Amino acid sequence: MKLLIIDSNALLHRSFHALPPLTDEKGEQTGAVYGFLLTFLKAINDLRPNFVVATFDTPSPTFRHKKFKKYKAKREKTPSELCEQIPKIKEILSSLPVPVFEKVGFEADDIIATITKKTLKEQIHPEIEIYILTGDYDTLQLVDKNTKVYTLGKGIKETVIFDKKGVVEKFDILPTQMVDFKALAGDPSDNIPGATGIGKKSAVELLKRFKNLENLYKEIESGRVKEVKDRIKKILLDQKEQVFFSQLLARAREDVPVNFKLKNAKFSVLDEKEVEKYFKKYGFYSLIKRIPELKGEISHKEEGFIKENRDGKLF
């Protein structure tokens, strides 16, 4: 069984910048929505998920902004042409139907982490696979034996699936170390400060040797560590509070109060006429012939499992 979780804002953002402007009959831009759907269709064909859910950011400040006013301060304001397309993709998702989750005070990454943890913790299905469809690397911290990240390569046509091995090959650290990597090296895109003076290479070397921040500081503060340069030690000790604060900002929360139930994300019932209506509304005539690709597939074995668990956590 497979659950696909969509990081909608990240996917829309990548699509918006990857494609030339497209407009519907009213002259309103639809390029980000079109790109989103192209990637979504590819994911459906590649993965054949049994359950699909979409997550969104909200325009309101998150708990991170409240703790750190400069959080994401260097990012350019989201173009109005992109913001105006968010209701459009929500309309189409509702027609599929794909449930949408968003929560004031939290980011989509937090909701993704919460849904992932809830699904795996309840052990609804021992062999369930979770795929996170996104346009960036922020959710790589969630990758484990059950969870993979399905993300865009170049443009929106090329996709890459990151499992644990893939993360290590690209970043030279484990998925579980991604948060601590940002805590040390910082993250300019989110304006997470990290430790000033610690670069990416040094952050990787420290984590490969000490595994995590807690162990790193335990060893350095003990005075037993001889292999770390005095300059690096001083930076880490002087900026300890900032490093652990950066860790807090970088880690996706797993306790967002959302009412997620796997059964409500079942992706197998599709009203093709309803989907066609919205595709025509926004001028996506080339996608109409691809609507049958959106039909979810659940094997007889999985159907039996679902029926047998009507009195369990799934239902």
Side-chain angles (χ1 to χ4, degrees), residues 40-74:
F40 179 64
L41 278 162
K42 187 175 189 307
I44 294 300
N45 279 304
D46 288 349
L47 305 175
R48 305 312 303 174
N50 310 99
F51 305 92
V52 181
V53 62
T55 64
F56 282 85
D57 297 323
T58 72
S60 305
T62 68
F63 74 92
R64 294 180 180 86
H65 294 92
K66 293 178 180 178
K67 289 180 178 292
F68 184 49
K69 291 184 178 180
K70 294 182 180 180
Y71 181 65
K72 294 189 176 180
K74 295 181 180 179

Side-chain angles (χ1 to χ4, degrees), residues 183-198:
L184 290 168
D187 183 354
S189 66
D190 287 340
N191 205 32
I192 295 175
T196 305
I198 301 292

Side-chain angles (χ1 to χ4, degrees), residues 32 43 66-67 101 114 128 131 161 164-165 220 222 225 254 275 288 290:
K66 293 178 180 178
K67 289 180 178 292
F101 287 90
T114 299
I128 193 164
Y131 289 85
I161 296 178
K164 180 179 176 180
K165 181 180 178 182
I220 287 180
S222 72
V225 178
E254 299 177 334
V275 178
I288 292 175
R290 299 187 61 183

Side-chain angles (χ1 to χ4, degrees), residues 1-5 42-53 115 119-120 124-132 145-148 150 161 260 262-263 265-268 296-299 302 305-306 314:
M1 296 181 76
K2 296 176 183 176
L3 165 63
L4 178 66
I5 308 175
K42 187 175 189 307
I44 294 300
N45 279 304
D46 288 349
L47 305 175
R48 305 312 303 174
N50 310 99
F51 305 92
V52 181
V53 62
I115 290 175
T119 302
L120 296 178
I124 293 169
H125 192 292
E127 297 178 358
I128 193 164
E129 296 177 81
I130 298 175
Y131 289 85
I132 300 168
K145 64 179 183 178
N146 294 96
T147 308
K148 299 178 179 67
Y150 182 103
I161 296 178
F260 171 77
L262 190 64
K263 67 169 185 177
K266 185 177 176 182
F267 191 68
S268 61
E297 294 182 352
I298 296 183
S299 69
E302 289 161 349
F305 173 84
I306 290 172
L314 183 55

Side-chain angles (χ1 to χ4, degrees), residues 209-260:
R209 176 170 179 76
F210 298 99
K211 308 303 181 186
N212 55 58
L213 278 188
E214 289 72 17
N215 191 52
L216 168 62
Y217 273 94
K218 178 182 177 182
E219 293 298 316
I220 287 180
E221 291 173 341
S222 72
R224 295 190 297 264
V225 178
K226 306 297 181 183
E227 297 84 356
V228 179
K229 296 178 181 179
D230 289 340
R231 182 186 69 85
I232 298 295
K233 289 180 185 177
K234 187 176 188 308
I235 289 173
L236 292 172
L237 292 172
D238 288 349
Q239 300 183 51
K240 180 179 179 180
E241 183 178 348
Q242 181 168 293
V243 168
F244 278 97
F245 181 64
S246 297
Q247 183 192 54
L248 172 68
L249 295 175
R251 176 170 287 128
R253 291 270 296 270
E254 299 177 334
D255 59 348
V256 181
V258 292
N259 185 27
F260 171 77

Side-chain angles (χ1 to χ4, degrees), residues 137-156:
Y137 293 148
D138 289 345
T139 53
L140 289 179
Q141 62 182 277
L142 303 176
V143 170
D144 59 23
K145 64 179 183 178
N146 294 96
T147 308
K148 299 178 179 67
V149 166
Y150 182 103
T151 190
L152 297 170
K154 296 179 181 179
I156 62 169

